[in-house]
Amino acid sequence: MIKVLFICLGNICRSPLAAAIFAEKLLHKDYKQKICCDSCGTSDYHIGELPDERTLTCAEKHAIPLHHRGRQLNRSDFKDFDLFIAMDQANCRDIKKMATAFNTQPRQLFLIREFQDNPDFLDVPDPYYGGEDGFEKVYEILDESIDGLIKMMEKEFKL
Ligand code: 4NP
């Protein structure tokens, strides 16, 4: 089983949506037996909380099932997950810092937009302090990036 972890700051906006979109695409591709995923945040701001209302509205609008409670990246994630997929460059820096503190490192760490065709920017913009339209933009970026991620995995893991 290939295990993929999506990571943002708060784990209530971007990464839970990314994991839900990814899981939905796996289902349609029949990869449910081969790949699994989860999401977490680098911060402890929203541990145990439901995703942001606007994240849930956006997922519902696109018919993506989303059931998640916020959790923070922890030591065992570095043992458990094969691919670490960060939403922005600050997340990447924080992941590396936490890994160092745990005396370990992520097996493979990517920025999700590395997998998007012609991204205008490498970060998925943080929609937390904006309006609903920010979440729609995030959805579009994630949808395209995740198609690219799955293509990479199909090649890399010979799925
Ligand atoms: P996320 O968005 O990292 O995409 O979940 C945020 C959620 C909460 C906060 C920041 C970003 N916050 O500062 O509480």
Side-chain angles (χ1 to χ4, degrees):
M1 185 70 105
I2 307 160
K3 298 179 88 177
V4 184
L5 186 60
F6 294 91
I7 305 152
C8 61
L9 175 62
N11 195 216
I12 54 169
C13 299
R14 293 166 294 175
S15 66
L17 188 60
I21 296 170
F22 184 70
E24 184 68 11
K25 288 185 191 284
L26 295 186
L27 208 62
H28 288 289
K29 289 220 165 220
D30 237 14
Y31 290 157
K32 267 287 172 200
Q33 312 299 323
K34 294 181 177 165
I35 308 170
C36 65
C37 71
D38 191 12
S39 72
C40 68
T42 54
S43 79
D44 60 2
Y45 303 158
H46 299 282
I47 293 173
E49 292 179 21
L50 287 170
D52 188 285
E53 235 358 277
R54 297 163 296 175
T55 309
L56 293 172
T57 304
C58 179
E60 197 175 330
K61 183 176 157 197
H62 293 280
I64 306 287
L66 206 180
H67 305 282
H68 187 71
R69 292 279 176 172
R71 74 172 186 87
Q72 188 178 23
L73 177 65
N74 64 54
R75 181 186 293 271
S76 55
D77 289 326
F78 291 94
K79 285 198 200 77
D80 294 342
F81 287 90
D82 303 293
L83 295 180
F84 279 52
I85 311 291
M87 298 298 118
D88 66 33
Q89 295 165 86
N91 304 149
C92 268
R93 284 193 294 274
D94 290 337
I95 292 162
K96 286 178 192 163
K97 266 191 230 157
M98 291 170 85
T100 303
F102 293 140
N103 201 15
T104 182
Q105 54 191 19
R107 272 176 220 150
Q108 293 198 70
L109 172 60
F110 298 98
L111 278 168
I112 195 162
R113 293 191 79 173
E114 290 180 53
F115 303 109
Q116 188 182 11
D117 285 337
N118 304 312
D120 53 6
F121 194 49
L122 267 182
D123 293 347
V124 180
D126 186 343
Y128 187 62
Y129 293 104
E132 296 262 355
D133 55 335
F135 285 76
E136 198 49 38
K137 178 74 192 154
V138 164
Y139 176 86
E140 282 167 24
I141 292 169
L142 293 177
D143 188 57
E144 287 180 24
S145 301
I146 288 166
D147 284 339
L149 169 63
I150 292 172
K151 273 193 200 129
M152 178 282 277
M153 291 180 69
E154 285 173 333
K155 225 170 149 182
E156 195 71 18
F157 298 100
K158 300 184 172 59
L159 296 174

